[in-house]
Amino acid sequence: MPAAITARSITKSFAAGQRALDSVSMTVDTGEVLVVMGPSGSGKSTLIRTFNGLETIDDGEIEVLGLRLTSDADPRQIQRIRRRVGMVFQQFNLFPHLTILDNITLAPIRVQNQTRSDAEQQAMALLAQMGIVEQAGKYPAQLSGGQQQRVAIARALALKPDVMLFDEPTSALDPERVKEVLDAMRLLANQGMTMIVVTHELGFAREVADRVLFMDNGTVVESSDPETFFSAAKEERSRRFLSQIH
């Protein structure tokens, strides 16, 4: 089975010559859960944002589900990829004036031309899967942060993506709300969803990840299975990072 995502020597620089990605090459297999870790500013969020065209690359190429992205990618190609790659951000980005149900059904109706009844039936099933079906008629401000993030996951899943990207999905949550979001993500992993997760949640990475990618200064320092990474990391930089966050 071909890889879901392949990056070949991709680079990305921001203003003042800061190189966020420095010739990064990596792959994500279909059905794999890849956790990306690293200190602040290491390039991990920039990396996953290139996988759906939210960040453009300066050089190299990315293949996402057989679709090619380069520095001059056609906007239509980016749209094709975004229809198949869901993303969940630190902030929930829900529409405050829409109910939870309407937040989830908006894209399937507008983008995929689903009927309202089909979209609502699917949305209710996703809310049930996330454990918050009783919140369907409420507005985002009436929900806790953890509930809102689970709505954001359900909204991303409503477009039936082949790959899910998570950019520090629990970093804006109160500690007691983190578990409910991680449990929802565990459920997706157990269902075989291809997932790339930027997180500092060590327990989640140990338990759910198939592989941990450690980044620093825009480069991939280490790529290991969780047991190796957390108990016997190969690189000194990885070990130093782990000693600081344990």
Side-chain angles (χ1 to χ4, degrees):
M1 188 177 291
I5 297 174
T6 302
R8 301 181 184 92
S9 301
I10 60 172
T11 62
K12 170 71 177 180
S13 296
F14 291 116
Q18 177 201 354
R19 185 162 276 198
L21 298 174
D22 189 359
S23 196
V24 171
S25 296
M26 48 86 71
T27 61
V28 183
D29 291 331
T30 300
E32 182 176 22
V33 178
L34 177 71
V35 165
V36 184
M37 305 189 86
S40 179
S42 60
K44 52 193 187 297
S45 289
T46 302
L47 176 67
I48 71 162
R49 288 166 70 92
T50 66
F51 296 157
N52 66 352
L54 281 177
E55 294 284 2
T56 57
I57 56 175
D58 301 329
D59 202 6
E61 68 171 24
I62 306 168
E63 200 168 298
V64 182
L65 302 167
L67 300 168
R68 194 162 161 270
L69 274 177
T70 57
S71 58
D72 57 351
D74 185 325
R76 289 170 298 182
Q77 184 81 321
I78 293 172
Q79 287 304 320
R80 289 185 200 105
I81 288 170
R82 286 182 184 166
R83 289 192 188 104
R84 300 179 63 191
V85 179
M87 186 158 192
V88 177
F89 301 87
Q90 295 179 38
Q91 302 300 330
F92 322 124
N93 298 328
L94 301 176
F95 294 111
H97 63 291
L98 297 181
T99 65
I100 297 311
L101 186 62
D102 287 341
N103 262 282
I104 296 172
T105 59
L106 184 66
I109 291 170
R110 294 266 185 91
V111 177
Q112 296 180 330
N113 299 315
Q114 286 188 30
T115 65
R116 178 166 294 279
S117 63
D118 285 349
E120 288 185 351
Q121 186 176 357
Q122 175 186 249
M124 294 300 284
L126 288 168
L127 287 171
Q129 185 178 328
M130 294 291 118
I132 47 173
V133 70
E134 71 284 355
Q135 310 296 342
K138 294 183 180 177
Y139 290 87
Q142 297 174 282
L143 274 59
S144 71
Q147 289 171 328
Q148 289 187 60
Q149 192 62 296
R150 283 184 281 165
V151 172
I153 294 172
R155 181 180 59 180
L157 290 172
L159 289 174
K160 299 184 174 68
D162 297 298
V163 174
M164 283 285 285
L165 309 175
F166 294 86
D167 189 4
E168 302 202 35
T170 59
S171 65
L173 300 179
D174 294 331
E176 65 267 24
R177 300 295 181 191
V178 169
K179 181 180 182 299
E180 58 198 43
V181 173
L182 293 178
D183 284 346
M185 293 167 64
R186 285 186 182 94
L187 183 65
L188 289 184
N190 290 338
Q191 292 171 348
M193 175 66 76
T194 305
M195 296 166 58
I196 303 100
V197 185
V198 173
T199 186
H200 290 299
E201 297 292 339
L202 301 187
F204 176 85
R206 281 178 182 274
E207 178 192 343
V208 181
D210 296 303
R211 189 160 49 98
V212 177
L213 193 79
F214 177 70
M215 295 186 69
D216 192 28
N217 290 323
T219 65
V220 175
V221 175
E222 179 164 348
S223 176
S224 303
D225 65 88
E227 186 174 350
T228 300
F229 182 74
F230 289 110
S231 62
K234 303 167 194 168
E235 302 296 330
E236 169 58 29
R237 181 65 188 93
S238 308
R239 293 193 292 272
R240 196 161 73 246
F241 171 78
L242 290 168
S243 71
Q244 291 168 345
I245 63 170
H246 270 302

